[in-house]
Amino acid sequence: MDLGLFAQYTMNGLMLGMMYALVAVGFTLFFGVLDVIKFSHGDVLTVGAFTALASFVGLQTLGLQSPWVSLFVILVVATLAMAALGMLIARYLVMPLRSAPPLNTLLITLMLGTVLRECVRLFYPQGANPKPFPALLPRASIDFGEFNLRLDNVLMLAAGLAVILGLQFLLNRTRLGLAIRAVAQDEETARTMGINFTAIVLITFAIGSGLAAFAGVMNGLYYNEINFGIGLYLGVIGFSAAIIGGLGSIYGAILGGFLFAGLQTFATVVLPFSSAYKDVFAFAVVIAIMAWRPTGLIREKISERV
Amino acid sequence: MPRNVTLATFWPGFIALAVATVYLMALLGVERPAVVIALLVAAIAVVAAAAWLGLTAGVARSFTEHEDRLALCAIAGLIALAAFFHDDHFVLLLVTTVLLYSVACLGLNIQFGYAGVLNFAGASFFGIGAYTSAVLNGYTAVPHLLVLLIGGAVAALIGSLLLMPVLRTRGHYAAVVTIAFALLFKTFLEVNDVVGGPQGMQVKGMRILGWSFNDNIDIGSLSLSFYMNYFVLSALLLIAAFIVVRRLERSWIGLNLDALRLDETAASCFGLDIARWKVTAFLIGNFLIGLAGALYGMVGGFVAPNNYTFADSLILVSILLLGGIGNPWGLIAGTVIVVIVPEKLQAIQEYRFLLYALMVILVLLFRPEGLLPRPVRRYFTGWPS
């Protein structure tokens, strides 16, 4: 294959990987503090993307034209709104079921995801149809032979990287991050050290859901289109990515995200059958990896308590 | 035990079944939305009042003590229902759907309710059965009753591809295996042109020894809807599946499955082969789901990827949860509610996924054991539970 095309596919793969990694990090964070999987995470992303779209429409009617300001405003609105939604979900649906069997938590978040998805489909104006998402980033691009480097993609990659580095800094260098890690490691010890467990859990859910909103906006900007189903799709991919990487490990989640994107790109480019099968291939590989390493590539540390 | 005492506990269950049959006839018969809503509200009020007055405990007692007799009564009720609507295509189709979904949920019940093996791809296995009957009826001359069994077998076979990951993972990890499979399956159907792509394909109706199931039945002046054929077959299938599942639950196999669901470590300490029983439950469950799907494909006459999505799998799970996980009677009641209510209330048809999801959330928060909780296992009939 010629180098330009290769670079093009690499770039697309990196973009996808960044989105998947952002979603996967959310799953890992939630799992870290509460040992639960929040299956509604992907649909929070959908709601975030639609919130961004709605606030963009709102800004348009107010007569605001500058794309940079609009972008900033919709990002802030979507992120904050989803952070609040994430806290509500954690407070009223996930935490009350802590003592129930894990199946119940799993089901309640799956069903909540359905509720969010259906609400978008039914109650957003024409929510059942794909919606165009405004292209707010500059559309300039540079051609290198077959490789077309788009400025907006570069900006998005940089922004995603900045967010991940910021999260890394937050978790490893601040008191809040220390508290989150303490809760993830041992809830009871963390409590005895004077950490407000509920507050930390809620903040963690807020951070994770905010990241989902960010990924949702990014998804909209990348494809210039959103629909009510993106969340389910991205959610399952993000979860698979978090699982492949190993739940509870931020690096694992990021690794898993890029790995999944790599698999899809690989299926598109190298495998002989049509590119429509890329998801079939990628999910089949996920199932195979689960069979090989049941708790992910970077293994979750578990001990059997009898 | 004196005979009159046993019969006294029989009547509450009998009355409940009779009322339910008459009520279903009324609900299926009325057309006007206002009347439907009134009937539904009345049902909720009556059930709530009965629960408040403590009458439901009596019904539960008669079901544990006289299950066989009440099962016969339920079959009689079903026959009465079918006789009443003998020329109504739509109602018979609806009832047949309820019967087949019940069979599928019985399969899912073995997995979720007894063995504790998660399966969020129920609709996919249902779809595998349906597509099998579409392909086999369309391109081969395999006898159609055999096609049903093959449908079940294919579902179990494809399900066995997932065995490795399902066995080695648990909890959330196991859930993602089946969810990934559900998405994979639907994408595969959509992009694969051999089985019709997104448009799906037609399914030829059932034909046994020259008897076509898609012709109306005329006996003298009496004309029966052609769905009556499917209704009878589905009812037989449900009865057989119900007996099998109930026997399985009561047997030592069911006991093993319960033990392994409740505590895997303890079960393996007592020498139970965890993997063996999980595999058994997963395969039997998928076989039943595929069997039901194969017949449902022929009933509907059409299969398409959009009928077997992840959302549909979630509907199957919500039936289980609503009815009461592990209780076969409960899941039939759950299926009746989940299938019939949106069909009768066209206004909420569009909102059905939303409503079911909300309903399951409420059930999980306030009544996690479902509407009809599974009774405590009785080791010997006649013993107090």
Side-chain angles (χ1 to χ4, degrees):
Chain A
M1 194 197 320
D2 105 275
L3 199 63
L5 211 56
F6 179 75
Q8 187 74 58
Y9 279 119
T10 313
M11 188 66 195
N12 295 350
L14 282 177
M15 276 306 301
L16 289 178
M18 186 58 82
M19 277 185 265
Y20 300 161
L22 286 171
V23 183
V25 163
F27 277 108
T28 281
L29 281 176
F30 306 148
F31 187 78
V33 289
L34 268 188
D35 282 1
V36 296
I37 293 300
K38 185 174 150 254
F39 274 101
S40 52
H41 191 49
D43 298 294
V44 170
L45 182 151
T46 314
V47 179
F50 274 86
T51 311
L53 185 60
S55 46
F56 177 75
V57 175
L59 287 177
Q60 289 281 297
T61 49
L62 286 180
L64 191 87
Q65 292 304 331
S66 157
W68 288 109
V69 179
S70 313
L71 181 61
F72 179 74
V73 173
I74 67 171
L75 255 181
V76 169
V77 170
T79 312
L80 289 182
M82 287 315 104
L85 180 63
M87 281 163 96
L88 284 176
I89 294 170
R91 181 69 192 81
Y92 293 105
L93 290 178
V94 181
M95 292 189 79
L97 285 186
R98 290 200 68 206
S99 51
L103 173 66
N104 291 15
T105 317
L106 205 144
L107 282 171
I108 210 166
T109 54
L110 268 175
M111 294 301 169
L112 176 73
T114 311
V115 168
L116 294 176
R117 195 160 58 242
E118 288 294 303
C119 281
V120 169
R121 184 173 76 90
L122 296 165
F123 302 126
Y124 195 88
Q126 270 120 49
N129 303 329
K131 300 295 234 176
F133 199 87
L136 293 171
L137 290 168
R139 320 233 37 191
S141 63
I142 316 167
D143 275 323
F144 299 99
E146 296 225 21
F147 177 39
N148 178 273
L149 184 67
R150 280 169 53 185
L151 183 58
D152 53 351
N153 285 3
V154 176
L155 286 175
M156 277 189 264
L157 264 186
L161 200 64
V163 166
I164 286 179
L165 287 177
L167 180 73
Q168 189 64 29
F169 177 79
L170 177 84
L171 286 179
N172 289 332
R173 293 276 185 278
T174 63
R175 280 177 68 83
L176 176 64
L178 189 65
I180 292 177
R181 282 183 295 138
V183 167
Q185 219 166 52
D186 191 327
E187 178 201 328
E188 288 195 1
T189 317
R191 277 178 195 265
T192 55
M193 297 292 155
I195 291 172
N196 184 343
F197 175 71
T198 313
I200 292 299
V201 168
L202 293 186
I203 290 173
T204 313
F205 271 75
I207 295 173
S209 306
L211 286 179
F214 185 84
V217 173
M218 198 160 148
N219 185 72
L221 290 172
Y222 183 62
Y223 290 110
N224 289 321
E225 185 184 283
I226 51 175
N227 66 62
F228 72 95
I230 52 169
L232 177 65
Y233 179 73
L234 279 175
V236 174
I237 290 179
F239 183 43
S240 311
I243 290 261
I244 308 175
L247 275 176
S249 151
I250 300 275
Y251 301 107
I254 297 167
L255 172 77
F258 285 101
L259 192 66
F260 196 95
L263 283 174
Q264 282 181 322
T265 315
F266 177 80
T268 316
V269 182
V270 181
L271 295 184
F273 33 74
S274 121
S275 68
Y277 284 94
K278 70 176 196 293
D279 291 333
V280 177
F281 172 75
F283 282 124
V285 173
V286 166
I287 294 176
I289 291 183
M290 301 280 298
W292 173 46
R293 284 280 181 91
T295 54
L297 294 175
I298 298 176
R299 291 182 189 181
E300 183 197 340
K301 295 183 197 79
I302 45 166
S303 55
E304 196 70 36
R305 256 173 289 182
V306 184
Chain B
M1 221 183 291
R3 203 177 156 72
N4 56 352
V5 173
T6 55
L7 268 184
T9 56
F10 167 72
W11 294 113
F14 179 78
I15 292 167
L17 272 180
V19 170
T21 310
V22 174
Y23 177 77
L24 270 181
M25 281 181 189
L27 182 65
L28 288 168
V30 296
E31 296 286 341
R32 299 231 322 272
V35 187
V36 173
I37 292 174
L39 273 175
L40 292 175
V41 171
I44 296 171
V46 167
V47 171
W52 191 68
L53 292 172
L55 295 177
T56 44
V59 176
R61 179 136 182 251
S62 27
F63 267 88
T64 47
E65 287 187 10
H66 301 275
E67 193 179 353
D68 296 347
R69 227 172 279 172
L70 284 171
L72 289 178
C73 296
I75 295 171
L78 194 60
I79 294 172
L81 194 70
F84 188 73
F85 292 107
H86 62 87
D87 56 354
D88 190 328
H89 293 320
F90 177 68
V91 169
L92 280 178
L93 173 63
L94 211 54
V95 177
T96 309
T97 309
V98 169
L99 298 176
L100 290 177
Y101 268 56
S102 299
V103 176
C105 287
L106 279 173
L108 216 52
N109 187 41
I110 297 178
Q111 302 172 337
F112 271 93
Y114 301 154
V117 179
L118 303 185
N119 181 359
F120 288 103
S124 308
F125 292 110
F126 201 70
I128 291 174
Y131 268 90
T132 309
S133 65
V135 171
L136 287 183
N137 284 11
Y139 300 112
T140 66
V142 179
H144 289 173
L145 276 180
L146 202 59
V147 167
L148 296 184
L149 292 178
I150 296 176
V154 171
L157 196 71
I158 295 183
S160 65
L161 292 177
L162 294 181
L163 276 181
M164 257 289 269
V166 163
L167 279 183
R168 296 194 43 156
T169 54
R170 47 178 84 165
H172 334 293
Y173 296 97
V176 88
V177 171
T178 48
I179 295 176
F181 178 75
L183 295 187
L184 183 158
F185 178 73
K186 192 199 165 220
T187 321
F188 179 79
L189 290 182
E190 268 178 354
V191 297
N192 194 321
D193 290 328
V194 180
V195 289
Q199 272 77 44
M201 56 198 292
Q202 300 274 348
V203 189
K204 279 196 192 155
M206 183 156 232
R207 181 178 277 278
I208 300 175
L209 302 174
W211 174 303
S212 168
F213 272 40
N214 283 20
D215 295 336
N216 288 342
I217 312 163
D218 294 307
I219 308 169
S221 62
L222 191 67
S223 175
L224 304 181
S225 156
F226 68 93
Y227 279 119
M228 190 61 95
N229 296 308
Y230 290 112
F231 167 81
V232 172
L233 191 60
S234 311
L236 291 175
L237 196 63
L238 176 61
I239 293 168
F242 194 91
I243 292 173
V244 168
V245 170
R246 209 79 178 112
R247 294 284 135 186
L248 190 84
E249 183 198 351
R250 300 268 310 262
S251 72
W252 57 280
I253 300 178
L255 200 56
N256 284 356
L257 294 181
D258 276 343
L260 114 92
R261 181 189 74 246
L262 292 171
D263 192 334
E264 263 185 41
T265 318
S268 68
C269 285
F270 279 94
L272 292 189
D273 188 344
I274 303 284
R276 179 176 160 202
W277 293 117
K278 276 193 174 176
V279 169
T280 313
F282 196 65
L283 291 187
I284 299 179
N286 284 342
F287 180 80
L288 279 180
I289 299 172
L291 195 66
L295 185 51
Y296 190 69
M298 295 188 212
V299 174
F302 186 71
V303 288
N306 272 339
N307 299 340
Y308 310 108
T309 59
F310 179 55
D312 296 286
S313 298
L314 284 184
I315 285 199
L316 293 181
V317 177
S318 34
I319 290 178
L320 219 55
L321 223 74
L322 178 72
I325 215 159
N327 182 358
W329 289 103
L331 72 86
I332 293 179
T335 318
V336 169
I337 297 174
V338 166
V339 174
I340 291 184
V341 171
E343 286 295 338
K344 290 310 287 187
L345 272 187
Q346 287 296 326
I348 66 162
Q349 179 78 337
E350 183 71 6
Y351 300 91
R352 66 186 190 286
F353 291 122
L354 178 64
L355 290 174
Y356 292 149
L358 277 176
M359 193 170 71
V360 172
I361 290 177
L362 292 178
V363 166
L364 280 171
L365 284 179
F366 300 111
R367 199 181 161 88
E369 70 275 26
L371 293 181
L372 302 174
R374 182 180 179 190
V376 179
R377 174 184 288 275
R378 284 155 52 97
Y379 290 93
F380 301 98
T381 38
W383 276 30
S385 50

